[in-house]
């Protein structure tokens, strides 16, 4: 039996989306400007970035490269948690639609992320989709640490969190 890679990616998107949605809902807008370290993103920057990542699937499907030096990509500005969640839903739907229209035969087509001559990622369309999933998990874990440092109980991702175990 042949595995349906697109179906598997859509299932993973649904699973990761549900976890991400729970985490983003906890972001306190009165702490948007907070950062745990001078080299860290602010809470707002991190949460916005995380909310936008599902739209990267559309970049992988509809483009063959992203060049940050061309200025086509700009982070979305949000003012509150409601807008953050709306941004995530918009990104999620765009990403889902992109994966649904991605022909499996195009998965091995080259894809590049660059800043002019500097190449940050040289992969395939499938590799870019996997990179976006990895970025979601990575930045969601960062958000969990940020929330923990703010004494906000966090939900579990792949099982109960320490906060949920105490209940």
């Amino acid at each position: 039996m042949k595995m349906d890679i697109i179906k598997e990616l859509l299932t993973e998107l649904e699973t990761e989306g549900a976890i991400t949605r729970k985490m983003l809902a906890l972001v306190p807008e009165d702490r948007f400007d907070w950062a745990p370290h001078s080299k860290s993103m602010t809470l707002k920057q991190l949460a916005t970035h995380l909310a936008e990542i599902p739209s990267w699937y559309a970049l992988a499907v509809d483009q063959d490269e992203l060049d940050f030096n061309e200025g086509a990509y700009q982070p979305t500005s949000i003012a509150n948690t409601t807008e953050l969640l709306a941004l995530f839903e918009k990104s999620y739907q765009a990403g889902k639609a992109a994966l649904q229209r991605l022909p499996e035969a195009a998965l091995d087509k080259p894809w590049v992320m660059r800043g002019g001559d500097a190449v940050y990622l040289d992969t395939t369309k499938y590799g870019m989709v996997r990179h976006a999933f990895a970025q979601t998990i990575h930045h969601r874990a960062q958000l969990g640490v940020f929330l923990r440092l703010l004494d906000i109980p966090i939900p579990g991702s792949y099982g109960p969190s320490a906060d949920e175990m105490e209940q």
Side-chain angles (χ1 to χ4, degrees):
M1 173 187 247
K2 184 180 177 206
M3 181 167 73
D4 184 338
I5 295 172
I6 303 301
K7 181 180 175 187
E8 294 296 322
L9 291 172
L10 287 164
T11 298
E12 187 172 4
L13 175 64
E14 184 177 331
T15 300
E16 296 302 327
I19 298 166
T20 301
R21 195 176 285 110
K22 287 191 303 187
M23 293 289 283
L24 290 173
L26 298 173
V27 175
E29 57 196 56
D30 64 333
R31 301 302 302 266
F32 270 3
D33 293 331
W34 180 84
H37 190 276
S38 61
K39 293 182 180 178
S40 298
M41 288 186 269
T42 65
L43 182 60
K44 180 180 178 180
Q45 289 168 324
L46 176 61
T48 301
H49 180 55
L50 180 59
E52 287 181 324
I53 293 173
S55 68
W56 290 14
Y57 306 122
L59 291 174
V61 172
D62 299 332
Q63 298 175 205
D64 294 331
E65 81 168 24
L66 173 62
D67 187 340
F68 288 107
N69 287 6
E70 291 181 2
Y73 175 77
Q74 295 295 321
T76 303
S77 178
I78 56 143
N80 53 52
T81 305
T82 300
E83 288 181 11
L84 174 66
L85 291 169
L87 172 60
F88 174 75
E89 293 306 328
K90 180 180 175 185
S91 297
Y92 179 87
Q93 292 304 321
K96 182 178 179 181
L99 289 177
Q100 288 172 328
R101 71 176 179 273
L102 175 62
E104 195 164 320
L107 288 173
D108 63 353
K109 187 174 180 183
W111 198 93
V112 176
M113 180 186 296
R114 69 176 65 247
D117 292 335
V119 174
Y120 305 126
L121 184 64
D122 185 355
T123 187
T124 60
K125 288 184 178 286
Y126 176 78
M128 178 52 191
V129 169
R130 293 298 325 140
H131 179 75
F133 278 118
Q135 286 289 300
T136 295
I137 295 164
H138 166 74
H139 289 300
R140 193 175 62 225
Q142 281 184 305
L143 179 59
V145 171
F146 280 35
L147 295 173
R148 173 75 70 219
L149 291 171
L150 291 171
D151 290 323
I152 296 171
I154 58 172
S157 293
Y158 304 108
S161 71
D163 295 311
E164 292 170 329
M165 297 289 284
E166 293 173 354
Q167 296 177 4

